[in-house]
Amino acid sequence: MTLDVPCLTTPDALERAAADLVMEIASEAVRVRGVCRLALAGGSTPRGLYERLAESPYRERLPWSALDVFWSDERAVGPSQRDSNYRMAFDALLSKVPLPPERVHRMRGEAANLGEAAGSYDAEIRAAFPDATGTPRFDLLLLGIGADGHTASLFPGTPALAENSALVVANPVPRLATTRLTMTLPLINAARTVLVLAAGADKADAVRSILQPHEGAALAPAALVHPHHGRMVWLLDTAAAGLLAQVTP
Ligand code: 6PG
């Protein structure tokens, strides 16, 4: 794994750098493999990136007709609910670009049986990689991090962290009194590129604990993300990078 940690001055610079990276990776994936498989992150941080991708020049230049869009996690809610990761991406991006509906792979957070929904999504991912010999390799997998070091819906102390074969699981999160659908570490770590976006001072402690862990400190879930044969890029604004040693904007 190669690790890049650019530190950017402002959230706007972070969004622009992220949009350029999405553009670069999507264009290369389509050139080489004829398709780009992209997994979107949830939460609020990526909203600005998604809005930028819906604007010029990205809107005109991204290969929408060869882009398969997935989600790295979803809350136990329906697509029209305010805290749906799908809805955030739909409002910010998908409703504004010519992405064929069949290329939008939504996690069914509204399912009565989230275990079955996870199994179906696992199968949907595998079907999107007909040539895969092992774990499917997303061309680009976007992640955020929480102040507690979680990523996707891999929260500290939750069973999904120990999953070593399924691509997607329904993960009980007692701290939130809910169950969420999430991609697992085997799938995340198979990606060709993982891009982590973190902005704001409230992420600085988690960023340091992940990128510059203290000796003997408990590993945050996001610290378990190491693409085995891929590239990991952290895009941080100066606030989120505020506690890192030797990082210059
Ligand atoms: C989610 C995300 C989650 C998110 C972090 C950061 O469903 O909430 O997948 O992992 O990326 O919690 O969230 P913010 O971007 O809102 O700070």
Side-chain angles (χ1 to χ4, degrees), residues 41-46 72-75 85 143-146 150-153 180 202-203:
S44 56
T45 302
S72 50
D73 76 326
E74 185 55 277
R75 290 84 179 276
N85 288 336
L143 293 174
I145 56 165
H150 79 262
T151 193
S153 282
R180 289 198 177 177
D202 62 319
K203 304 295 174 69

Side-chain angles (χ1 to χ4, degrees), residues 39-91:
L40 298 179
S44 56
T45 302
R47 179 188 292 274
L49 164 61
Y50 300 163
E51 289 169 344
R52 195 174 288 262
L53 294 176
E55 296 162 357
S56 191
Y58 306 98
R59 187 185 191 287
E60 297 82 19
R61 291 167 48 194
L62 274 164
W64 303 107
S65 62
L67 187 63
D68 277 310
V69 173
F70 295 78
W71 276 259
S72 50
D73 76 326
E74 185 55 277
R75 290 84 179 276
V77 294
S80 61
Q81 299 294 305
R82 191 174 44 79
D83 54 350
S84 160
N85 288 336
Y86 166 84
R87 175 173 164 183
M88 186 276 275
F90 180 84
D91 291 346

Side-chain angles (χ1 to χ4, degrees), residues 4-11 13-14 17 145 195-200 203-204 207-208 211 233-242 244 247 249:
D4 310 27
V5 188
C7 169
L8 302 151
T9 50
T10 63
L14 182 147
I145 56 165
L195 169 57
V196 181
L197 299 177
K203 304 295 174 69
V207 166
R208 179 180 54 182
L211 292 178
V233 180
W234 284 73
L235 286 179
L236 307 170
D237 70 357
T238 42
L244 289 180
V247 176

Side-chain angles (χ1 to χ4, degrees), residues 76-244:
V77 294
S80 61
Q81 299 294 305
R82 191 174 44 79
D83 54 350
S84 160
N85 288 336
Y86 166 84
R87 175 173 164 183
M88 186 276 275
F90 180 84
D91 291 346
L93 173 61
L94 303 182
S95 57
K96 305 171 185 172
V97 296
L99 186 66
E102 66 274 16
R103 287 191 175 271
V104 179
H105 305 270
R106 182 177 70 83
M107 286 184 164
R108 294 319 193 245
E110 71 278 17
N113 185 323
L114 287 174
E116 285 177 8
S120 302
Y121 203 74
D122 185 306
E124 187 167 349
I125 290 172
R126 293 180 195 278
F129 291 81
D131 304 333
T133 51
T135 305
R137 301 192 66 200
F138 274 85
D139 295 292
L140 178 56
L141 200 149
L142 301 181
L143 293 174
I145 56 165
D148 62 355
H150 79 262
T151 193
S153 282
L154 302 170
F155 286 81
T158 59
L161 289 170
E163 178 58 48
N164 56 23
S165 58
L167 306 180
V168 182
V169 295
N171 191 30
V173 186
R175 187 168 65 80
L176 301 178
T178 188
T179 294
R180 289 198 177 177
L181 293 170
T182 186
M183 288 186 174
T184 59
L185 289 167
L187 180 58
I188 293 170
N189 284 330
R192 296 177 190 275
T193 299
V194 172
L195 169 57
V196 181
L197 299 177
D202 62 319
K203 304 295 174 69
D205 197 47
V207 166
R208 179 180 54 182
S209 74
I210 294 159
L211 292 178
Q212 296 175 343
H214 300 299
E215 191 68 31
L219 271 185
L224 301 174
V225 175
H226 294 293
H228 303 310
H229 306 291
R231 178 184 173 202
M232 188 153 186
V233 180
W234 284 73
L235 286 179
L236 307 170
D237 70 357
T238 42
L243 297 178
L244 289 180

